[in-house]
Amino acid sequence: MTTQTTSVDTMAAATSIHDLESRLVGELLRPGDETYDDVRQVQIRTFDARPAIIVRAAYPGDVVEAVRFARAHHWPLAVRSGGHSLGGFSAVDGTITIDLSLMKKVTVDPQRGTARVQAGANSGDIAGPAEAYGFALSTGDTSSVGVGGLTTGGGIGWMARKYGLAIDNLRAVEMVTAEGRLIRASATQHADLFWAVRGGGGNFGIITEFEFQLAPAGSIYGGAIVLPATREVIRGYLDYTPVAPEGLTTIAFMMAAPPAPFIPEELVGQLVVLVGVCFVGDPEEGERALAPLRALAEPLAEAVGAMPYPAMFALTEEASKPHRVSLRSMFSDELPDDAIDAMISSATNATSPMSMVQLRGLGGALAKVPADATAFAHRERKYLVAVIGLWVDETDDGVAHRRWTQELWEELKQYADGVYVNFLEQEGDARIREAYPAGTYDRLVDVKRRYDPENVFRFNQNIKPAA
Ligand SMILES: Cc1cc2nc3c(=O)[nH]c(=O)nc-3n(C[C@H](O)[C@H](O)[C@H](O)COP(=O)(O)OP(=O)(O)OC[C@H]3O[C@@H](n4cnc5c(N)ncnc54)[C@H](O)[C@@H]3O)c2cc1C
């Protein structure tokens, strides 16, 4: 991220930072403080920013204080929950960064089947307490992703076809506005804002707490089926998964087979299609739902069974560790054989053993929500495709992996029909517009103008208040 210039007078700022610090219940960190270098790190290590100060909020009042401070001193403001921003928006040099990662409380109400979730919690933090009461929440596929960023963008995960996106299960939010007021938004309070925060990203305020409706699904039938990476298998996957029984959500990872207890040693490193499967419902029905996938080719390996929902996250455990990434993504309705061949050829020549092409068949519950009900409006698309260059070596400059991602993207983008806002890096305004159909975008601008006319919340896939 680029360094932000500020008009803050240094002496006055130092005094007022002291003032701010004295009013916080949480912590304020400056460069040089013992934990500053640890805390400033984000999950995506491609970003290595040095905020001017980090406010580690302990409760919503700290967020109010920090927003008012930033406003009063015209200080650029960044927001972080789980630190997985692919655009590096939660790691910005010179900002006052509000870090919500200490606010992780999850409170399940088993009678109402709801959960109040503080914004610093992640998918893993929610799954355990919910499962203890026989519930689950449709969030993402990776346990470490923060509910703050995930939910404000939409939230597509292992239960998307059964229970929709995370936002489809959202009942209300508590949030701090650009004016530094703590408000509640729901279908009946600030309904326009509640519409916008369900897919419009971090543009409209800082959510401190989400209230979700949980689903009665503590256990699932799931795991992984490993298939050969052939055109026929991928075509079959694409044909079946958007129309499969609604209980079945899948993600196909086209990648070098990773070492795992269920993968034979001789397969490790070979290009495969590893299909992660999550069936919500009776295991026998699950078996029937999986049969068409198994019929695509003789599985090379498999580990599928009844399990508590939180166990699904084991499949993406590696992605929960800090890493470096280069990503291009799109929704699509049509992926002809040329596109499939390009994916196979590219995946065969991946520059990192961790890189992959990810395919998700959509449809099901997420497609049943009307397009204008939330700011996430690409409800009818059949596929979500992501080209993901992934590496961990900090001495690797990433040039080769970025080129790999870009080259495949150049071949695939002709089949794009929109993009998921949470799968964007910093790719420019035109790409942000692709995340929203025109009517949705205009409506977002209108809400932005009313709630954040000065664009206080601008380190995000920014909806600008100006025309
Ligand atoms: C390994 C990995 C796996 C992923 N898997 C999935 C997946 O399965 N499904 C899916 O839908 N997405 C997935 N994503 C994308 C993910 O949803 C986005 O990167 C998301 O922004 C991360 O949220 P965060 O809180 O962890 O990130 P942060 O970097 O903390 O936040 C990102 C941005 O979100 C906004 N934001 C964060 N917290 C708040 C808040 N409390 N209030 C208002 N705005 C806020 C801010 O604009 C911030 O810059 C994945 C990303 C990664 C890196």
Side-chain angles (χ1 to χ4, degrees):
M1 296 293 292
T2 50
T3 302
Q4 300 302 312
T5 53
T6 75
S7 58
V8 179
D9 169 75
T10 322
M11 286 291 288
T15 315
S16 50
I17 289 170
H18 264 299
D19 277 357
L20 171 64
E21 190 171 21
S22 67
R23 287 196 301 276
L24 296 177
V25 173
E27 254 185 305
L28 186 148
L29 298 176
R30 306 167 177 78
D33 286 348
E34 200 184 331
T35 54
Y36 172 86
D37 273 325
D38 277 344
V39 174
R40 73 183 178 84
Q41 299 279 355
V42 287
Q43 177 82 357
I44 308 295
R45 292 294 161 88
T46 333
F47 306 107
D48 182 28
R50 301 183 65 81
I53 54 176
I54 302 173
V55 171
R56 306 203 79 193
Y59 87 127
D62 286 348
V63 180
V64 169
E65 291 290 353
V67 170
R68 288 182 183 167
F69 175 87
R71 281 293 297 274
H73 296 280
H74 307 287
W75 206 313
L77 184 70
V79 181
R80 177 191 309 166
S81 288
H84 287 63
S85 170
L86 293 158
F89 293 116
S90 57
V92 189
D93 285 335
T95 50
I96 167 166
T97 296
I98 302 181
D99 172 12
L100 295 151
S101 63
L102 297 177
M103 293 176 55
K104 287 172 103 63
K105 199 166 163 200
V106 176
T107 313
V108 176
D109 179 337
Q111 265 71 47
R112 293 171 63 221
T114 57
R116 284 169 40 215
V117 178
Q118 286 191 317
N122 60 37
S123 291
D125 296 327
I126 302 168
E131 193 265 339
Y133 292 102
F135 291 110
L137 178 66
S138 180
T139 55
D141 62 31
T142 306
S143 67
S144 59
V145 176
V147 71
L150 178 110
T151 309
T152 48
I156 303 182
W158 289 120
M159 291 185 168
R161 298 189 73 258
K162 177 69 178 178
Y163 293 121
L165 305 172
I167 51 171
D168 300 334
N169 300 283
L170 189 60
R171 297 290 159 257
V173 293
E174 207 177 71
M175 63 191 285
V176 178
T177 64
E179 290 174 343
R181 280 194 307 132
L182 184 64
I183 63 168
R184 185 179 158 87
S186 67
T188 53
Q189 297 156 289
H190 299 284
D192 49 353
L193 196 53
F194 188 56
W195 171 84
V197 297
R198 286 177 291 162
N203 275 286
F204 307 95
I206 304 177
I207 296 180
T208 52
E209 187 170 281
F210 298 86
E211 185 183 318
F212 290 106
Q213 186 69 50
L214 301 173
S219 61
I220 49 104
Y221 190 69
I225 300 173
V226 183
L227 297 167
T230 63
R231 183 202 277 179
E232 293 67 34
V233 164
I234 294 162
R235 169 63 53 223
Y237 173 86
L238 293 171
D239 287 347
Y240 175 60
T241 52
V243 296
E246 235 172 75
L248 181 64
T249 301
T250 63
I251 306 175
F253 303 88
M254 200 187 305
M255 63 187 296
F262 70 97
I263 297 198
E265 230 169 87
E266 62 277 13
L267 199 58
V268 172
Q270 288 186 37
L271 184 67
V272 295
V273 179
L274 189 155
V275 187
V277 298
C278 178
F279 183 82
V280 184
D282 179 69
E284 277 177 27
E285 278 176 48
E287 272 298 296
R288 281 196 290 279
L290 293 182
L293 287 176
R294 291 203 182 100
L296 294 175
E298 181 70 31
L300 302 170
E302 183 172 324
V304 176
M307 60 173 83
Y309 174 60
M312 262 322 279
F313 292 120
L315 208 59
T316 48
E317 205 181 327
E318 280 304 305
S320 272
K321 299 176 186 164
H323 55 267
R324 291 162 167 77
V325 69
S326 155
L327 185 142
R328 285 293 177 274
S329 167
M330 65 187 195
F331 287 117
S332 180
D333 278 338
E334 199 200 347
L335 291 165
D337 287 347
D338 281 355
I340 295 174
D341 292 347
M343 291 180 212
I344 294 174
S345 154
S346 185
T348 307
N349 298 305
T351 50
S352 161
M354 301 173 79
S355 294
M356 64 179 83
V357 181
Q358 224 182 64
L359 300 169
R360 301 179 197 223
L362 303 176
L366 88 84
K368 287 185 177 163
V369 176
D372 62 356
T374 64
F376 180 108
H378 290 301
R379 295 280 180 175
E380 288 177 12
R381 299 286 74 82
K382 279 163 80 175
Y383 311 118
L384 174 55
V385 183
V387 182
I388 308 177
L390 218 152
W391 68 106
V392 288
D393 181 357
E394 62 184 47
T395 62
D396 185 336
D397 65 10
V399 171
H401 314 309
R402 288 195 183 88
R403 191 182 311 120
W404 177 82
T405 302
Q406 187 62 29
E407 282 175 4
L408 179 54
W409 171 241
E410 290 300 329
E411 296 195 59
L412 296 183
K413 67 183 185 189
Q414 59 189 305
Y415 307 112
D417 193 345
V419 65
Y420 174 34
V421 74
N422 271 358
F423 279 6
L424 279 174
E425 295 188 341
Q426 290 197 36
E427 298 175 43
D429 284 347
R431 285 283 276 161
I432 297 173
R433 283 187 177 243
E434 283 175 33
Y436 306 104
T440 306
Y441 189 84
D442 293 345
R443 202 170 152 191
L444 285 169
V445 173
D446 180 56
V447 179
K448 179 79 174 174
R449 274 190 196 135
R450 283 184 287 119
Y451 286 92
D452 185 17
E454 291 169 26
N455 210 3
V456 171
F457 304 115
R458 62 179 178 278
F459 296 110
N460 43 45
Q461 303 297 348
N462 197 223
I463 308 285
K464 295 189 177 55

